């Protein structure tokens, strides 16, 4: 997660690429200076939350079925300066922990643990959805976008 190979000249850290290349293009295209949110599903959901600790350009994030089981991620979150005043949407399928893979079976516990840490200083919603990891992914992402949109009302 630390380096995206081939971005720009040589290896550029992903947060720098986002800040220096992606965000300016978004500003040009939207012609608006508005809060930015990052979101992802599965490993990209883990990335979205990780990115919140790398840069302060995001007003919040959405992580749907995020890979919070990833080894060391809970410890990483605990070791970082606390996020504050962010909007964070987290969802998980109710059956995601029902797997024979012992590491992935920890996803619900790890996700709850991270939610509790984040709720102290942020606006956090945690939703359990019907089904497993791949159930209704499009609808779940749409729910995240709708929740983010409410921040602008």
């Amino acid at each position: 997660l630390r380096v995206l190979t081939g971005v720009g000249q040589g290896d550029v850290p992903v947060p720098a690429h986002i800040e220096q290349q992606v965000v300016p293009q978004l500003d040009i295209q939207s012609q608006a200076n508005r809060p930015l949110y990052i979101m992802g599903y599965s490993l990209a959901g883990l990335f979205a939350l990780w990115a919140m600790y790398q840069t302060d350009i995001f007003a919040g994030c959405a992580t749907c079925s995020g890979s919070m089981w990833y080894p060391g991620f809970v410890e990483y979150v605990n070791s970082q300066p606390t996020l504050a005043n962010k909007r964070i949407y987290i969802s998980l399928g109710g059956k995601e922990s029902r797997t024979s893979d012992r590491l992935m079976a920890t996803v619900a516990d790890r996700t709850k643990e991270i939610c509790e840490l984040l709720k102290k200083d942020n606006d956090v919603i945690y939703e359990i959805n019907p089904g497993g990891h791949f159930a209704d992914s499009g609808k779940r992402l749409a729910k995240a976008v709708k929740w983010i949109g409410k921040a602008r009302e």
Side-chain angles (χ1 to χ4, degrees), residues 37 39 61-62 87 89 143-152:
Y37 289 81
M39 65 185 294
C61 75
R87 286 182 47 87
Y89 178 94
K143 285 171 65 175
V145 171
K146 184 177 179 181
W147 187 81
I148 288 170
K150 287 181 181 179
R152 297 172 57 200

Side-chain angles (χ1 to χ4, degrees), residues 28-41:
I28 290 168
Q29 291 173 14
S30 70
Q31 297 180 342
N33 185 10
R34 57 183 164 200
L36 293 175
Y37 289 81
I38 187 168
M39 65 185 294
Y41 200 96

Side-chain angles (χ1 to χ4, degrees), residues 101-129:
D101 184 297
R102 291 189 313 191
L103 185 58
M104 289 182 176
T106 66
V107 69
D109 291 339
R110 300 291 79 79
T111 301
K112 287 177 199 169
E113 198 173 337
I114 288 171
C115 281
E116 291 307 311
L117 291 168
L118 295 171
K119 282 181 179 180
K120 294 176 185 174
D121 299 302
N122 301 282
D123 181 8
V124 177
I125 186 169
Y126 177 48
E127 289 190 340
I128 303 291
N129 296 277

Side-chain angles (χ1 to χ4, degrees), residues 2-143:
R2 298 201 73 190
V3 174
L4 183 61
T5 303
V7 173
Q9 294 292 102
D11 291 344
V12 176
V14 173
H17 177 74
I18 291 171
E19 288 180 15
Q20 297 165 12
Q21 301 294 320
V22 177
V23 171
Q25 286 301 312
L26 292 173
D27 288 343
I28 290 168
Q29 291 173 14
S30 70
Q31 297 180 342
N33 185 10
R34 57 183 164 200
L36 293 175
Y37 289 81
I38 187 168
M39 65 185 294
Y41 200 96
S42 195
L43 191 57
L46 177 78
F47 175 82
L49 185 55
W50 173 83
M52 295 290 294
Y53 289 97
Q54 304 303 304
T55 178
D56 63 355
I57 64 169
F58 299 113
C61 75
T63 172
C64 299
S65 286
S67 301
M68 303 304 160
W69 53 262
Y70 195 86
F73 192 68
V74 172
E75 294 79 10
Y76 171 80
V77 169
N78 273 310
S79 73
Q80 297 302 302
T82 304
L83 294 177
N85 304 313
K86 304 290 185 178
R87 286 182 47 87
I88 302 169
Y89 178 94
I90 298 173
S91 75
L92 196 64
K95 295 181 180 177
E96 290 197 46
S97 292
R98 297 182 194 166
T99 176
S100 59
D101 184 297
R102 291 189 313 191
L103 185 58
M104 289 182 176
T106 66
V107 69
D109 291 339
R110 300 291 79 79
T111 301
K112 287 177 199 169
E113 198 173 337
I114 288 171
C115 281
E116 291 307 311
L117 291 168
L118 295 171
K119 282 181 179 180
K120 294 176 185 174
D121 299 302
N122 301 282
D123 181 8
V124 177
I125 186 169
Y126 177 48
E127 289 190 340
I128 303 291
N129 296 277
H133 185 71
F134 296 105
D136 296 321
S137 57
K139 288 180 183 177
R140 290 172 60 198
L141 288 166
K143 285 171 65 175

